[in-house]
Amino acid sequence: SCLQRKILDYFGEN
Amino acid sequence: MLELRLVQGSLLKKVLESVKDLVTDANFDCSATGFSLQAMDSSHVALVALLLRSEGFEHYRCDRNLSMGMNLNNMSKMLKCAGNDDIITIKADDGSDTVTFMFESPTQDKIADFEMKLMDIDSEHLGIPEAEYHAIVRMPSAEFARICKDLSSIGDTVVISVTKEGVKFSTRGDIGTANIVCRQNTSVDKPEESTIIEMNEPVSLTFALRYMNSFTKATPLANSVTISLSSELPVVVEYKIAEMGYIRFYLAPKIED
């Protein structure tokens, strides 16, 4: 099965 | 005081149609650089970044940086009242809780203004780093839209693989599997119909087709789409908006559990 990553796993808050 | 006059008003209508199903509420930021938006979908799986540069507007007045929270469905309802040939002007006063959209017909015989309530939206602004991508594919936007639509009738996810052979879009579902390979093709007369693959190293990533299909709502904005892939980053699906800027969609991949 596949796990959906999130945008926040990659990009931090400015 | 903010006053932005966009002669090609249809661009703004198309922008709204391409983001309103992905994002419900968003802050539009206005600065000397331009009119921009950055927002994530409610699941925080996809992010949209829009820039309409100030130079692309016939008149651009933005006295100080302003962030305007809008419900995109309501904004879309208002912009649908503008004709495709209309000039659209966006106006707001400092400290006001409304924004006005003014629509002028090309012959100036009809002028309409629609005032919309603004809303307070608490949104984080993400830092998106400049990155080197393993592979960048440029292809006709209509072709990409067709592939995403076709594959979504077979499966829920698409595996996008770039090798020196080309770019492969694959899916599998209950009824079977599908593979579509697009090879580099620069021989066509029209550059917008060519497929160009720049590959530094092979890459293969899995994405939810539901989001890809949502991104293709931006197809009317550009003849070409650019898909940038790296195994360490969300994919970027970019539509350039002629003379003005871009709309970029970022989608986090699915990974093996």
Side-chain angles (χ1 to χ4, degrees), chain B residues 85-103:
Chain B
D85 299 329
D86 281 2
I87 298 162
I88 298 181
T89 303
I90 303 168
K91 288 190 209 178
D93 290 320
D94 288 345
S96 170
D97 58 357
T98 62
V99 60
T100 298
F101 302 107
M102 192 172 89
F103 310 141

Side-chain angles (χ1 to χ4, degrees), chain B residues 141-159:
Chain B
S141 58
E143 183 64 42
F144 177 64
R146 173 72 197 262
I147 290 169
C148 291
K149 180 169 168 281
D150 287 351
L151 294 187
S152 61
S153 65
I154 314 286
D156 296 330
T157 59
V158 58
V159 180

Side-chain angles (χ1 to χ4, degrees), chain A residues 1 3-7 12 14, chain B residues 43-44 125 127 252-253 255 257:
Chain A
S1 67
L3 178 73
Q4 176 64 64
R5 302 293 303 267
K6 306 251 182 193
I7 288 291
N14 251 359
Chain B
S43 305
H44 291 196
H125 201 85
I255 54 166
D257 201 351

Side-chain angles (χ1 to χ4, degrees), chain B residues 194-210:
Chain B
S194 62
T195 296
I196 297 166
I197 298 166
E198 288 173 41
M199 190 193 76
N200 295 320
E201 56 182 286
V203 60
S204 183
L205 288 162
T206 304
F207 301 100
L209 272 167
R210 184 166 69 86

Side-chain angles (χ1 to χ4, degrees), chain B residues 64-80:
Chain B
R64 64 183 182 89
N65 291 358
L66 197 62
S67 190
M68 296 183 289
M70 302 195 208
N71 174 285
L72 300 191
N73 199 37
N74 293 344
M75 188 179 174
S76 167
K77 281 180 190 170
M78 295 210 163
L79 293 182
K80 275 187 178 164

Side-chain angles (χ1 to χ4, degrees), chain B residues 213-243:
Chain B
N213 268 313
S214 176
F215 304 162
T216 62
K217 297 228 164 86
T219 303
L221 282 166
N223 290 321
S224 294
V225 61
T226 305
I227 304 157
S228 303
L229 297 141
S230 176
S231 53
E232 290 94 34
L233 289 168
V235 63
V236 190
V237 179
E238 177 178 8
Y239 297 84
K240 287 221 184 318
I241 302 171
E243 317 287 315

